[in-house]
Amino acid sequence: MALWDTQAGDLSVAKRTPAARDLLGEYVAGMRRHDLKVGFYFSHLDWSHPDYPTQRPSTLVRPWVESRFGLCAEGAEDPARWERFLRFHRAQVGELLGYRPDLMWFDGAWERDESQWRMRELRDSILAEAPNMIVSRLLDHSDYETPEQGLPIVPPDGPWELCLTVNDSWGHQPADRNFKSTRQLVRIFAETLGGGGNLLLGIGPREDGTFQPEHVERLHALGAWIERNREAVYGTGRGLPLGHHYGPSMLSKDGRTLFLVCLDRPIEYVAVKGLRTKVRGVSVLGTGAALGHRVVGGFGDDVPGVLYIDAPAEVDEYATVLAVELDGVLDLYRGAGYHG
Protein backbone atom coordinates (compact mmCIF):
# COMPACT_ATOMS: atom_id res chain seq x y z
CA MET A 1 0.00 0.00 0.00
CA ALA A 2 1.64 3.23 -1.16
CA LEU A 3 1.43 6.08 1.34
CA TRP A 4 1.42 8.57 -1.52
CA ASP A 5 -0.84 9.03 -4.55
CA THR A 6 1.17 6.76 -6.82
CA GLN A 7 0.42 6.92 -10.51
CA ALA A 8 2.09 3.55 -11.14
CA GLY A 9 -0.93 1.63 -9.78
CA ASP A 10 -4.15 2.07 -7.82
CA LEU A 11 -3.09 0.55 -4.47
CA SER A 12 -2.52 3.64 -2.34
CA VAL A 13 -3.92 5.40 0.71
CA ALA A 14 -5.11 8.18 -1.58
CA LYS A 15 -7.24 5.83 -3.70
CA ARG A 16 -8.14 2.95 -1.38
CA THR A 17 -8.52 4.30 2.17
CA PRO A 18 -10.63 6.90 4.01
CA ALA A 19 -7.50 9.05 4.34
CA ALA A 20 -7.84 9.86 0.62
CA ARG A 21 -4.71 12.02 0.58
CA ASP A 22 -0.94 12.00 0.26
CA LEU A 23 0.33 11.01 3.71
CA LEU A 24 3.93 10.85 2.58
CA GLY A 25 3.88 14.48 1.48
CA GLU A 26 2.59 15.52 4.90
CA TYR A 27 5.37 13.56 6.58
CA VAL A 28 8.02 15.20 4.41
CA ALA A 29 6.61 18.67 5.04
CA GLY A 30 6.59 18.06 8.80
CA MET A 31 10.17 16.84 8.83
CA ARG A 32 11.40 19.76 6.73
CA ARG A 33 9.50 22.20 8.95
CA HIS A 34 11.66 21.06 11.87
CA ASP A 35 14.86 21.00 9.78
CA LEU A 36 15.13 17.21 10.00
CA LYS A 37 16.53 14.83 7.40
CA VAL A 38 13.98 12.75 5.47
CA GLY A 39 14.29 9.00 5.05
CA PHE A 40 11.98 6.60 3.20
CA TYR A 41 11.48 2.85 3.64
CA PHE A 42 10.64 1.05 0.40
CA SER A 43 10.15 -2.67 -0.09
CA HIS A 44 11.58 -4.15 -3.28
CA LEU A 45 9.30 -7.16 -3.06
CA ASP A 46 5.59 -6.52 -3.56
CA TRP A 47 3.37 -9.52 -2.85
CA SER A 48 0.29 -7.51 -3.88
CA HIS A 49 1.42 -7.02 -7.47
CA PRO A 50 0.22 -9.72 -9.91
CA ASP A 51 3.46 -9.61 -11.91
CA TYR A 52 5.76 -10.01 -8.92
CA PRO A 53 5.63 -13.82 -8.36
CA THR A 54 6.92 -14.61 -11.85
CA GLN A 55 10.56 -15.42 -11.17
CA ARG A 56 12.72 -17.60 -8.92
CA PRO A 57 16.27 -16.85 -7.75
CA SER A 58 19.10 -19.28 -8.42
CA THR A 59 19.36 -19.84 -4.64
CA LEU A 60 16.64 -19.48 -2.04
CA VAL A 61 18.14 -17.20 0.61
CA ARG A 62 15.16 -17.70 2.93
CA PRO A 63 13.52 -21.00 1.91
CA TRP A 64 11.20 -20.94 4.92
CA VAL A 65 9.26 -17.96 3.51
CA GLU A 66 8.58 -19.42 0.07
CA SER A 67 4.98 -18.78 -0.94
CA ARG A 68 2.84 -18.31 -4.02
CA PHE A 69 2.81 -14.54 -3.32
CA GLY A 70 6.56 -14.25 -3.73
CA LEU A 71 7.72 -17.06 -6.02
CA CYS A 72 6.28 -18.92 -8.95
CA ALA A 73 6.59 -22.69 -9.31
CA GLU A 74 9.77 -24.05 -10.84
CA GLY A 75 9.49 -23.97 -14.61
CA ALA A 76 6.71 -21.37 -14.56
CA GLU A 77 8.92 -18.29 -14.82
CA ASP A 78 7.63 -15.48 -17.04
CA PRO A 79 10.40 -12.99 -17.91
CA ALA A 80 8.05 -10.64 -19.75
CA ARG A 81 5.81 -10.24 -16.70
CA TRP A 82 8.87 -9.74 -14.48
CA GLU A 83 10.03 -6.92 -16.74
CA ARG A 84 6.60 -5.38 -16.40
CA PHE A 85 6.93 -5.54 -12.61
CA LEU A 86 10.36 -3.91 -12.78
CA ARG A 87 8.86 -1.02 -14.75
CA PHE A 88 6.29 -0.59 -11.95
CA HIS A 89 9.03 -0.85 -9.31
CA ARG A 90 11.23 1.74 -11.03
CA ALA A 91 8.26 4.05 -11.58
CA GLN A 92 7.45 4.08 -7.86
CA VAL A 93 11.08 4.70 -6.93
CA GLY A 94 11.08 7.61 -9.38
CA GLU A 95 7.97 9.07 -7.76
CA LEU A 96 9.61 8.87 -4.34
CA LEU A 97 12.71 10.67 -5.60
CA GLY A 98 10.42 13.58 -6.44
CA TYR A 99 10.05 14.22 -2.69
CA ARG A 100 13.83 14.73 -2.48
CA PRO A 101 14.53 12.36 0.44
CA ASP A 102 17.96 12.33 2.05
CA LEU A 103 17.96 8.54 2.45
CA MET A 104 16.25 5.56 0.82
CA TRP A 105 16.14 2.50 3.10
CA PHE A 106 15.24 -0.42 0.85
CA ASP A 107 14.24 -3.89 2.03
CA GLY A 108 13.02 -7.24 0.75
CA ALA A 109 15.60 -8.06 -1.92
CA TRP A 110 16.12 -11.65 -0.77
CA GLU A 111 13.62 -13.29 -3.16
CA ARG A 112 15.58 -12.38 -6.29
CA ASP A 113 19.14 -12.42 -7.62
CA GLU A 114 21.26 -9.40 -8.37
CA SER A 115 20.84 -10.07 -12.09
CA GLN A 116 17.06 -10.09 -11.71
CA TRP A 117 16.86 -6.90 -9.63
CA ARG A 118 19.67 -5.19 -11.60
CA MET A 119 20.67 -3.28 -8.50
CA ARG A 120 23.69 -1.55 -10.04
CA GLU A 121 21.40 -0.12 -12.69
CA LEU A 122 18.94 0.99 -10.00
CA ARG A 123 21.66 2.64 -7.91
CA ASP A 124 23.05 4.49 -10.92
CA SER A 125 19.61 5.78 -11.87
CA ILE A 126 18.94 6.97 -8.31
CA LEU A 127 22.26 8.78 -7.98
CA ALA A 128 21.86 10.37 -11.39
CA GLU A 129 18.70 12.00 -10.04
CA ALA A 130 19.89 12.56 -6.45
CA PRO A 131 23.72 12.32 -6.26
CA ASN A 132 23.90 13.15 -2.54
CA MET A 133 21.29 10.67 -1.38
CA ILE A 134 22.25 7.74 0.87
CA VAL A 135 20.95 4.31 -0.15
CA SER A 136 20.89 1.01 1.72
CA ARG A 137 20.01 -2.62 1.00
CA LEU A 138 20.74 -2.64 -2.69
CA LEU A 139 22.58 -5.95 -2.25
CA ASP A 140 26.25 -5.21 -3.03
CA HIS A 141 25.58 -1.59 -4.04
CA SER A 142 24.65 -0.02 -0.71
CA ASP A 143 26.36 2.87 1.06
CA TYR A 144 26.46 1.05 4.40
CA GLU A 145 25.84 -2.33 6.03
CA THR A 146 22.60 -3.04 7.93
CA PRO A 147 22.90 -6.04 10.29
CA GLU A 148 19.48 -6.77 11.77
CA GLN A 149 18.39 -7.89 15.26
CA GLY A 150 21.85 -9.26 16.09
CA LEU A 151 24.90 -7.25 17.12
CA PRO A 152 27.88 -8.25 14.94
CA ILE A 153 30.70 -9.92 16.85
CA VAL A 154 33.24 -8.34 14.51
CA PRO A 155 31.91 -4.96 13.32
CA PRO A 156 31.96 -4.25 9.58
CA ASP A 157 34.96 -2.27 8.38
CA GLY A 158 32.94 0.50 6.76
CA PRO A 159 29.81 2.43 7.78
CA TRP A 160 27.09 0.30 9.35
CA GLU A 161 23.84 0.50 11.28
CA LEU A 162 22.27 -2.09 13.56
CA CYS A 163 18.53 -2.48 13.00
CA LEU A 164 16.90 -3.46 16.30
CA THR A 165 13.44 -3.57 17.86
CA VAL A 166 12.45 -2.91 21.49
CA ASN A 167 10.62 -6.24 21.55
CA ASP A 168 10.92 -8.96 18.88
CA SER A 169 8.68 -7.39 16.25
CA TRP A 170 8.69 -4.72 13.61
CA GLY A 171 5.45 -2.76 13.72
CA HIS A 172 2.77 -2.88 16.39
CA GLN A 173 2.37 -6.42 17.74
CA PRO A 174 0.44 -6.21 21.05
CA ALA A 175 0.90 -9.93 21.75
CA ASP A 176 4.69 -9.53 21.72
CA ARG A 177 5.58 -8.75 25.35
CA ASN A 178 9.24 -9.73 25.10
CA PHE A 179 10.57 -6.23 25.71
CA LYS A 180 14.28 -5.65 26.03
CA SER A 181 15.19 -3.97 29.31
CA THR A 182 16.67 -0.49 29.40
CA ARG A 183 19.94 -2.00 30.58
CA GLN A 184 20.01 -4.31 27.55
CA LEU A 185 19.27 -1.44 25.17
CA VAL A 186 21.97 0.76 26.71
CA ARG A 187 24.43 -2.12 26.44
CA ILE A 188 23.59 -2.77 22.77
CA PHE A 189 23.71 0.94 22.00
CA ALA A 190 27.14 1.31 23.61
CA GLU A 191 28.53 -1.75 21.85
CA THR A 192 27.20 -0.47 18.53
CA LEU A 193 28.84 2.92 19.05
CA GLY A 194 32.08 1.26 20.13
CA GLY A 195 32.13 -0.69 16.88
CA GLY A 196 31.68 2.48 14.84
CA GLY A 197 28.01 1.85 14.07
CA ASN A 198 24.69 3.60 14.39
CA LEU A 199 21.61 2.17 16.10
CA LEU A 200 18.26 2.19 14.32
CA LEU A 201 15.79 1.36 17.12
CA GLY A 202 12.34 0.38 15.88
CA ILE A 203 9.15 0.91 17.86
CA GLY A 204 5.61 0.06 16.75
CA PRO A 205 2.96 2.77 16.96
CA ARG A 206 -0.70 1.82 17.39
CA GLU A 207 -3.23 2.65 14.68
CA ASP A 208 -4.01 5.97 16.39
CA GLY A 209 -0.35 7.02 16.47
CA THR A 210 0.20 6.41 20.19
CA PHE A 211 2.89 4.12 21.57
CA GLN A 212 2.88 1.32 24.09
CA PRO A 213 4.02 2.57 27.51
CA GLU A 214 6.89 0.07 27.55
CA HIS A 215 8.29 1.62 24.36
CA VAL A 216 7.93 5.14 25.73
CA GLU A 217 9.63 4.21 29.01
CA ARG A 218 12.58 2.60 27.21
CA LEU A 219 13.06 5.58 24.91
CA HIS A 220 12.99 8.09 27.77
CA ALA A 221 15.47 6.03 29.81
CA LEU A 222 17.83 5.51 26.88
CA GLY A 223 17.61 9.21 26.03
CA ALA A 224 18.42 10.17 29.61
CA TRP A 225 21.51 7.91 29.57
CA ILE A 226 22.61 9.49 26.30
CA GLU A 227 22.18 12.98 27.77
CA ARG A 228 24.30 12.07 30.81
CA ASN A 229 27.01 10.73 28.52
CA ARG A 230 26.53 12.90 25.44
CA GLU A 231 30.25 13.70 25.21
CA ALA A 232 30.92 10.02 24.50
CA VAL A 233 28.02 9.67 22.06
CA TYR A 234 28.02 12.68 19.75
CA GLY A 235 30.96 13.26 17.46
CA THR A 236 32.83 10.14 18.51
CA GLY A 237 33.93 7.15 16.47
CA ARG A 238 35.03 3.53 16.68
CA GLY A 239 36.97 2.79 19.85
CA LEU A 240 39.52 0.21 20.92
CA PRO A 241 39.72 -3.17 19.16
CA LEU A 242 38.66 -6.21 21.17
CA GLY A 243 41.09 -7.18 23.88
CA HIS A 244 42.27 -3.74 25.02
CA HIS A 245 39.35 -3.08 27.38
CA TYR A 246 36.64 -5.37 28.71
CA GLY A 247 33.75 -3.37 27.31
CA PRO A 248 32.88 -0.95 24.51
CA SER A 249 34.84 2.26 24.00
CA MET A 250 34.59 5.33 21.81
CA LEU A 251 37.22 7.78 20.60
CA SER A 252 36.80 11.53 20.19
CA LYS A 253 37.11 13.02 16.74
CA ASP A 254 40.55 14.46 17.48
CA GLY A 255 41.77 11.10 18.84
CA ARG A 256 42.73 12.60 22.20
CA THR A 257 39.92 11.41 24.47
CA LEU A 258 39.06 7.77 24.97
CA PHE A 259 35.70 6.91 26.47
CA LEU A 260 35.53 3.58 28.30
CA VAL A 261 32.09 2.05 28.92
CA CYS A 262 31.81 -0.10 32.03
CA LEU A 263 28.80 -2.33 31.48
CA ASP A 264 29.02 -3.72 35.01
CA ARG A 265 30.13 -2.08 38.25
CA PRO A 266 33.96 -2.03 38.29
CA ILE A 267 35.59 -3.83 41.21
CA GLU A 268 38.83 -2.15 42.38
CA TYR A 269 39.96 -0.95 38.95
CA VAL A 270 39.33 -0.66 35.20
CA ALA A 271 42.20 -1.90 33.02
CA VAL A 272 43.32 -0.77 29.57
CA LYS A 273 46.05 -2.70 27.74
CA GLY A 274 48.37 -1.62 24.95
CA LEU A 275 48.04 2.14 25.47
CA ARG A 276 51.24 3.85 24.32
CA THR A 277 49.93 7.40 24.74
CA LYS A 278 50.40 8.89 28.19
CA VAL A 279 47.28 9.74 30.19
CA ARG A 280 46.70 13.27 31.52
CA GLY A 281 43.61 12.48 33.56
CA VAL A 282 40.52 10.28 33.97
CA SER A 283 37.04 11.38 35.02
CA VAL A 284 33.53 9.96 35.24
CA LEU A 285 30.98 11.33 32.79
CA GLY A 286 27.82 12.51 34.48
CA THR A 287 29.51 13.30 37.80
CA GLY A 288 32.87 14.73 36.77
CA ALA A 289 34.63 12.76 39.54
CA ALA A 290 38.38 12.49 38.96
CA LEU A 291 39.90 9.01 39.22
CA GLY A 292 43.39 7.93 40.14
CA HIS A 293 45.35 5.93 37.55
CA ARG A 294 48.73 4.28 37.12
CA VAL A 295 50.65 2.08 34.67
CA VAL A 296 51.87 -1.31 35.84
CA GLY A 297 54.40 -3.48 34.01
CA GLY A 298 55.63 -3.13 30.46
CA PHE A 299 59.03 -3.57 28.83
CA GLY A 300 60.88 -0.36 28.08
CA ASP A 301 59.56 1.76 25.26
CA ASP A 302 58.56 -1.26 23.18
CA VAL A 303 55.81 -2.96 25.17
CA PRO A 304 53.56 -0.66 27.25
CA GLY A 305 52.27 -1.72 30.65
CA VAL A 306 48.63 -1.94 31.69
CA LEU A 307 46.78 1.23 32.65
CA TYR A 308 44.87 0.70 35.89
CA ILE A 309 42.12 3.22 36.68
CA ASP A 310 40.63 3.32 40.18
CA ALA A 311 37.01 2.15 40.25
CA PRO A 312 34.57 5.05 40.71
CA ALA A 313 32.69 5.30 44.00
CA GLU A 314 29.45 6.23 42.20
CA VAL A 315 28.30 4.36 39.10
CA ASP A 316 25.59 4.92 36.53
CA GLU A 317 22.37 2.95 36.84
CA TYR A 318 22.88 1.29 33.46
CA ALA A 319 26.49 1.78 32.33
CA THR A 320 29.27 4.04 33.59
CA VAL A 321 31.46 5.94 31.12
CA LEU A 322 35.01 7.04 31.95
CA ALA A 323 36.70 9.81 29.98
CA VAL A 324 40.43 9.18 29.55
CA GLU A 325 42.20 12.36 28.50
CA LEU A 326 45.29 11.51 26.49
CA ASP A 327 48.50 13.50 26.15
CA GLY A 328 48.38 13.27 22.39
CA VAL A 329 46.62 11.23 19.73
CA LEU A 330 45.76 7.64 20.64
CA ASP A 331 48.60 5.25 19.86
CA LEU A 332 48.03 1.53 20.44
CA TYR A 333 50.44 -1.36 20.79
CA ARG A 334 49.16 -4.45 18.95
CA GLY A 335 52.15 -6.76 19.29
CA ALA A 336 52.67 -10.14 20.93
CA GLY A 337 54.90 -8.97 23.78
CA TYR A 338 58.66 -9.06 24.33
CA HIS A 339 60.42 -12.39 23.63
CA GLY A 340 63.94 -11.92 25.01
Side-chain angles (χ1 to χ4, degrees), residues 42-94:
F42 184 80
S43 174
H44 293 297
L45 63 80
D46 189 337
W47 294 336
S48 67
H49 197 285
D51 291 325
Y52 177 74
T54 55
Q55 288 280 25
R56 294 183 65 86
S58 58
T59 302
L60 290 180
V61 178
R62 301 184 183 181
W64 62 90
V65 296
E66 180 175 359
S67 77
R68 61 186 177 85
F69 300 106
L71 304 173
C72 62
E74 292 189 34
E77 293 87 351
D78 191 330
R81 291 185 62 190
W82 175 249
E83 288 299 318
R84 189 162 61 193
F85 170 77
L86 281 185
R87 287 194 293 272
F88 162 81
H89 175 272
R90 284 352 189 221
Q92 287 205 321
V93 171

Side-chain angles (χ1 to χ4, degrees), residues 3 54 69 85 136-137 206 216 253 287:
L3 296 181
T54 55
F69 300 106
F85 170 77
S136 74
R137 295 202 166 182
R206 301 185 182 100
V216 175
K253 190 173 183 179
T287 69

Side-chain angles (χ1 to χ4, degrees), residues 192-271:
T192 301
L193 285 181
N198 182 57
L199 177 63
L200 186 157
L201 185 60
I203 57 176
R206 301 185 182 100
E207 64 273 14
D208 62 358
T210 62
F211 297 97
Q212 292 175 262
E214 294 86 357
H215 287 174
V216 175
E217 188 275 330
R218 300 311 193 273
L219 291 179
H220 280 305
L222 178 58
W225 184 88
I226 291 173
E227 181 59 31
R228 291 193 297 274
N229 299 281
R230 60 182 298 113
E231 189 180 346
V233 174
Y234 298 108
T236 58
R238 192 180 302 240
L240 300 172
L242 294 176
H244 288 272
H245 162 62
Y246 293 113
S249 61
M250 290 77 81
L251 186 64
S252 62
K253 190 173 183 179
D254 63 4
R256 292 173 175 265
T257 304
L258 182 64
F259 299 97
L260 307 175
V261 182
C262 304
L263 300 176
D264 301 301
R265 186 184 186 104
I267 303 298
E268 188 178 347
Y269 57 77
V270 174

Side-chain angles (χ1 to χ4, degrees), residues 2 11 16-17 134 151 164 185 198 200 218 222 233 238 251 255 264-265 276 285 289 298 309 312 331:
L11 191 59
R16 293 286 194 90
T17 74
I134 298 171
L151 193 68
L164 189 78
L185 291 174
N198 182 57
L200 186 157
R218 300 311 193 273
L222 178 58
V233 174
R238 192 180 302 240
L251 186 64
D264 301 301
R265 186 184 186 104
R276 280 200 178 105
L285 291 190
I309 302 168
D331 182 17

Side-chain angles (χ1 to χ4, degrees), residues 53-330:
T54 55
Q55 288 280 25
R56 294 183 65 86
S58 58
T59 302
L60 290 180
V61 178
R62 301 184 183 181
W64 62 90
V65 296
E66 180 175 359
S67 77
R68 61 186 177 85
F69 300 106
L71 304 173
C72 62
E74 292 189 34
E77 293 87 351
D78 191 330
R81 291 185 62 190
W82 175 249
E83 288 299 318
R84 189 162 61 193
F85 170 77
L86 281 185
R87 287 194 293 272
F88 162 81
H89 175 272
R90 284 352 189 221
Q92 287 205 321
V93 171
E95 290 175 341
L96 292 175
L97 293 179
Y99 291 92
R100 296 292 183 256
D102 301 288
L103 180 147
M104 286 283 285
W105 204 100
F106 291 96
D107 200 9
W110 61 81
E111 290 183 334
R112 298 291 184 270
D113 293 332
E114 158 69 29
S115 61
Q116 294 167 325
W117 284 120
R118 302 204 290 273
M119 288 301 192
R120 166 58 71 180
E121 171 191 290
L122 176 59
R123 177 185 169 86
D124 289 347
S125 66
I126 290 173
L127 296 185
E129 177 74 16
N132 295 321
M133 193 169 67
I134 298 171
V135 292
S136 74
R137 295 202 166 182
L138 294 180
L139 297 179
D140 293 330
H141 308 294
S142 303
D143 289 322
Y144 60 100
E145 299 291 326
T146 56
E148 184 171 339
Q149 297 289 44
L151 193 68
I153 304 302
V154 179
D157 291 330
W160 64 280
E161 178 177 74
L162 174 63
C163 313
L164 189 78
T165 51
V166 173
N167 51 9
D168 291 331
S169 307
W170 295 103
H172 179 54
Q173 298 289 342
D176 182 357
R177 307 292 299 172
N178 192 27
F179 300 108
K180 297 173 182 67
S181 68
T182 298
R183 190 180 305 279
Q184 288 171 328
L185 291 174
V186 167
R187 186 184 191 107
I188 293 169
F189 178 66
E191 291 189 279
T192 301
L193 285 181
N198 182 57
L199 177 63
L200 186 157
L201 185 60
I203 57 176
R206 301 185 182 100
E207 64 273 14
D208 62 358
T210 62
F211 297 97
Q212 292 175 262
E214 294 86 357
H215 287 174
V216 175
E217 188 275 330
R218 300 311 193 273
L219 291 179
H220 280 305
L222 178 58
W225 184 88
I226 291 173
E227 181 59 31
R228 291 193 297 274
N229 299 281
R230 60 182 298 113
E231 189 180 346
V233 174
Y234 298 108
T236 58
R238 192 180 302 240
L240 300 172
L242 294 176
H244 288 272
H245 162 62
Y246 293 113
S249 61
M250 290 77 81
L251 186 64
S252 62
K253 190 173 183 179
D254 63 4
R256 292 173 175 265
T257 304
L258 182 64
F259 299 97
L260 307 175
V261 182
C262 304
L263 300 176
D264 301 301
R265 186 184 186 104
I267 303 298
E268 188 178 347
Y269 57 77
V270 174
V272 183
K273 294 178 286 186
L275 190 61
R276 280 200 178 105
T277 319
K278 294 185 182 301
V279 174
R280 298 180 61 185
V282 182
S283 61
V284 183
L285 291 190
T287 69
L291 300 177
H293 56 90
R294 62 200 179 281
V295 175
V296 176
F299 194 89
D301 295 330
D302 297 324
V303 181
V306 177
L307 172 69
Y308 286 95
I309 302 168
D310 293 342
E314 297 181 38
V315 296
D316 188 273
E317 180 181 5
Y318 301 117
T320 303
V321 183
L322 310 182
V324 180
E325 186 181 356
L326 304 174
D327 191 22
V329 176
L330 175 69

